[in-house]
Every structure is written in structure tokens, then in C-alpha cells.
Amino acid sequence: MLIDLGANLLPGFVGGSRDIEACAERITTLYSSGLGAALLTPRYYPAKMSVSEFIDLRTTVLMNLSEHMPKRSPALYLGSEVYVDERLKYISDIGDLAVMGTRTVIAVMPEGSWETALLDTLYAIKMADYDVLIAHIDRCPDWYAEDLFKLGYRGIIDVESLVNISSIFKRKQFFEWIDNGYIVGLSTNFAADEKRAHEKIMKVHSVIGDKRTASLAESSAHALAGAVKITQ
């Protein structure tokens, strides 16, 4: 079964749900869409709060969510989506932002051009013995993505981009990324309503085929190996 490696659903964070009830509804949507598991990834901005403040907020939201957890839910895991800026080089507790139970860090790069300092920051995290996965790799300029792949980084691609892309060339490129092992999994996009999100998730298999679907399911499960499940 496919796994959502980028479920930014928790309220109180940029891009998250409007409230706990909406979050619970989205979790139900993931389940009804056939996803076997989902990694909750609230976004962390180093400029906005400390790691400890982020963890405290995340913990509080999760406690509230536990009281509204839907009966139908995929297995849930906990991590974060770390916005890359130079401040990360000076954060000693970055391990607290990794997928819980692992040394996997989900990183998101800024839009636009990247200064060398940002790439150095990304490299410093990798050299600290973390497996760095690049979220929303499909939003990165092609040449940046290709360079990151050459350096050993792997990416997570948005369902939206995978099923809605109209360019034959771009779709071929995404398929090649999956075939080459550069893409470890998918992330959902709830910018639209739940019905549209459900429809997009359900289209993935028909768009990428049996072999690529199986490949992503396997690589996603491997990415969560050792991760702590936060739901029964």
C-alpha cells in the first residue's frame, strides 16, 4: 500500500488544517483513499521558533487530536518538514525534528535560487549522519533537483504534480526519477477540498502503473523503517 510521506495536517502550523476537526476529517480521507500509513509533517521554520517550542506545540496539538482521532485511520507516524536556512547549522537538537525513531530528516528548500550557504547547510545535516529527504522535489528547478540526486539526496513528490502534469516531457522525467530510485514516496496536497484530494490519490496507480506503485510503496516503507507509530 502507498504511504503518505508528507501529511502536513496538524492545525497551528503553516499549511496545516484549520482546526482539529478538519484534521480528523483529512485523516479519514487518507484512510478511504487506500493509504496504508501517513507521516505527519508539520513545518518547522528556524526563524519563527526554537526546536523546543516547536516540539511543545506539536505535542499539544497531538494531545488534542487524540481526543478526536477518527475510528478509520491509516497508521500514523510523526516527523516534521524542516525549512532549510542557515540557522539550521547552529541547531544542536535537529535530531528532535527527524522522523520519530529514525535519523531521517524531511527538508524543504526555499523557492527561487539557492545560495551556496543553503546547500552547505543541507550538506552539514547529511554529514551529521542523517538521511535527508527533500520534500516537494517536484517544485524545485530541474537542475537543482538533478544536482541533489547526484549528491545522494532523494526526494518526495507531490501527488498533485504527479497526476495533474500536462507536459509529456515532465511526466517522463518524473517517471525516470522514480525508476532511478530518486523518489522515495509521495506527499498529499490538501490545498483543495477533501473530495478532490481523494480523487487525486486514487488516480496515482493508474497514472504511474503497477511497477512504479509497488516501487514507491516499498521505498516509502523502507524510509519509515524503525519509525515509532503514534496510533494503534
Side-chain angles (χ1 to χ4, degrees):
M1 300 178 74
L2 287 173
I3 295 172
D4 183 356
L5 290 182
N8 184 11
L9 306 180
L10 297 182
F13 298 93
V14 174
S17 304
R18 66 180 182 275
D19 53 35
I20 287 293
E21 288 75 17
C23 180
E25 290 176 6
R26 291 176 173 183
I27 290 173
T28 299
T29 297
L30 295 180
Y31 178 87
S32 63
S33 299
L35 296 179
L39 174 64
L40 301 179
T41 55
R43 184 172 293 187
Y44 171 69
Y45 288 93
K48 292 187 175 182
M49 64 179 72
S50 67
V51 173
S52 61
E53 289 171 332
F54 174 84
I55 297 300
D56 287 346
L57 176 59
R58 189 179 67 178
T59 300
T60 299
V61 173
L62 284 172
M63 290 179 62
N64 292 336
L65 177 60
S66 66
E67 300 175 1
H68 297 81
M69 187 63 67
K71 294 180 179 179
R72 300 191 306 161
S73 168
L76 297 180
Y77 298 84
L78 184 61
S80 59
E81 196 175 83
V82 183
Y83 185 84
V84 177
D85 74 20
E86 294 181 61
R87 297 173 183 83
L88 289 179
K89 289 192 293 187
Y90 309 105
I91 293 178
S92 60
D93 48 356
I94 194 168
D96 292 337
L97 300 172
V99 177
M100 187 178 293
T102 77
R103 293 187 65 81
T104 298
V105 173
I106 311 293
V108 58
M109 300 299 288
E111 294 184 4
S113 60
W114 303 340
E115 298 178 359
T116 302
L118 289 180
L119 297 175
D120 288 345
T121 299
L122 200 63
Y123 187 70
I125 299 172
K126 188 177 180 66
M127 288 300 97
D129 198 27
Y130 289 100
D131 182 19
V132 181
L133 303 180
I134 310 299
H136 316 296
I137 192 69
D138 45 293
R139 303 180 191 178
C140 299
D142 293 345
W143 55 91
Y144 284 147
E146 297 286 352
D147 285 346
L148 289 174
F149 295 150
K150 290 176 183 177
L151 292 172
Y153 297 95
R154 295 173 298 158
I156 300 169
I157 193 169
D158 291 350
V159 168
E160 175 90 20
S161 295
L162 195 59
V163 302
N164 279 358
I165 189 69
S166 58
S167 167
I168 296 176
F169 171 80
K170 195 69 175 179
R171 178 168 292 185
K172 180 176 181 293
Q173 181 183 56
F174 288 162
F175 286 179
E176 288 178 349
W177 287 359
I178 296 172
D179 294 342
N180 290 331
Y182 298 150
I183 304 299
V184 299
L186 307 173
S187 62
T188 54
N189 180 4
F190 279 94
D193 58 58
E194 273 74 10
K195 181 179 179 180
R196 289 186 59 194
H198 171 78
E199 292 172 350
K200 291 170 186 174
I201 296 170
M202 296 297 289
K203 284 178 62 177
V204 170
H205 184 273
S206 63
V207 169
I208 68 176
D210 294 341
K211 184 177 180 180
R212 294 188 181 97
T213 299
S215 174
L216 288 180
E218 181 179 357
S219 59
S220 295
H222 182 75
L224 290 180
V228 177
K229 188 164 62 172
I230 63 172
T231 54
Q232 297 300 319

